[in-house]
Amino acid sequence: DTAVSQTPKYLVTQMGNDKSIKCEQNLGHDTMYWYKQDSKKFLKIMFSYNNKELIINETVPNRFSPKSPDKAHLNLHINSLELGDSAVYFCASSHGPPKGNTIYFGEGSWLTVV
Amino acid sequence: AQKVTQAQTEISVVEKEDVTLDCVYETRDTTYYLFWYKQPPSGELVFLIRRNSFDEQNEISGRYSWNFQKSTSSFNFTITASQVVDSAVYFCASFGNEKLTFGTGTRLTIIP
């Protein structure tokens, strides 16, 4: 019954690899987000999509490519992984356009690049 | 641009004490939204409250209460009679420019 679900929850991979994190929400929301939490717990938005359209791309390296096949899914693909990409990645969603409605987060995906 | 300041990096209190977490926000918007989230040791982000800029009424939910004061740009969070399960990192956040901007969080430890 998880509202916003992400897979995998844990991912350990080597530098240079390509990996994807999948996200699905069953809340019927129109907007989805990816946030990154670094080792100091700082949370920052990476991307947002509203009805499959990109709204925000917050100066993220182009090695990160989000894909929204439909409004219930927002996947994150990362090419040529670097050590600095190690972080927790949170998917989230909210109802309607991004105008201040409550944002609900998934449980996070812990990515470790070695 | 939105900015959220949580000046308290870490707080420790003994169980059953009351504790207040401070949050100061900056915004040029006349309409804005403020949030609190809890991140327990298990790591997920749990929504606690959303407040819009037109509603300055304080809110109470069980042992939790929130004090929103536009005059001081603050949205403080108080836990009454704290419990060990309240140990977590608490984030204050502000919504503007189509995104949620978080403060740096306050790590709260409740000592049994």
Side-chain angles (χ1 to χ4, degrees):
Chain A
D1 255 70
T2 307
V4 182
S5 59
Q6 308 177 216
T7 54
K9 182 161 184 176
Y10 300 101
L11 184 56
V12 180
T13 188
Q14 290 187 326
M15 276 196 310
N17 284 351
D18 303 338
K19 290 295 177 186
S20 291
I21 306 173
K22 295 185 177 180
C23 179
E24 174 182 6
Q25 54 93 6
N26 63 4
L27 297 167
H29 287 168
D30 305 291
T31 302
M32 294 187 73
Y33 311 80
W34 277 107
Y35 276 80
K36 179 180 179 180
Q37 186 173 42
D38 64 22
S39 57
K40 296 183 178 178
K41 294 281 193 182
F42 186 61
L43 278 154
K44 190 176 178 190
I45 190 168
M46 299 173 68
F47 302 102
S48 70
Y49 274 72
N50 177 251
N51 285 319
K52 303 194 299 174
E53 298 294 325
L54 179 68
I55 303 295
I56 287 179
N57 179 340
E58 195 78 352
T59 59
V60 177
N62 57 15
R63 298 183 296 104
F64 291 78
S65 51
K67 283 204 170 47
S68 184
D70 55 61
K71 71 175 193 177
H73 295 84
L74 180 62
N75 304 323
L76 183 65
H77 188 75
I78 315 170
N79 288 326
S80 304
L81 278 156
E82 300 177 357
L83 293 176
D85 298 331
S86 296
V88 184
Y89 293 86
F90 285 97
C91 179
S93 71
S94 63
H95 176 67
K99 295 292 184 191
N101 289 323
T102 298
I103 298 177
Y104 295 95
F105 287 82
E107 294 186 337
S109 294
W110 272 251
L111 172 65
T112 302
V113 182
V114 297
Chain B
Q2 313 283 320
K3 184 178 178 183
V4 177
T5 301
Q6 294 180 256
Q8 303 152 310
T9 306
E10 295 191 28
I11 300 176
S12 294
V13 299
V14 176
E15 195 173 18
K16 298 184 184 175
E17 287 185 355
D18 299 347
V19 58
T20 295
L21 309 183
D22 297 334
C23 173
V24 174
Y25 63 92
E26 292 178 33
T27 179
R28 294 181 182 172
D29 298 336
T30 52
T31 301
Y32 52 91
Y33 299 87
L34 301 170
F35 297 79
W36 276 94
Y37 285 85
K38 174 183 180 180
Q39 188 172 38
S42 48
E44 70 271 25
L45 281 165
V46 179
F47 164 73
L48 295 178
I49 190 171
R50 168 183 178 265
R51 179 50 53 93
N52 75 52
S53 51
F54 297 110
D55 183 3
E56 280 195 80
Q57 275 195 337
N58 291 333
E59 178 144 348
I60 298 174
S61 176
R63 296 183 297 104
Y64 294 174
S65 62
W66 290 269
N67 183 292
F68 177 27
Q69 291 198 335
K70 289 176 80 169
S71 60
T72 56
S73 297
S74 64
F75 187 41
N76 296 337
F77 173 31
T78 297
I79 301 174
T80 303
S82 59
Q83 300 176 2
V84 172
V85 293
D86 296 327
S87 295
V89 180
Y90 290 87
F91 292 96
C92 182
S94 169
F95 194 95
N97 296 328
E98 300 180 317
K99 62 185 178 184
L100 197 60
T101 297
F102 284 87
T104 49
T106 297
R107 181 180 297 277
L108 176 64
T109 301
I110 309 299
I111 303 166

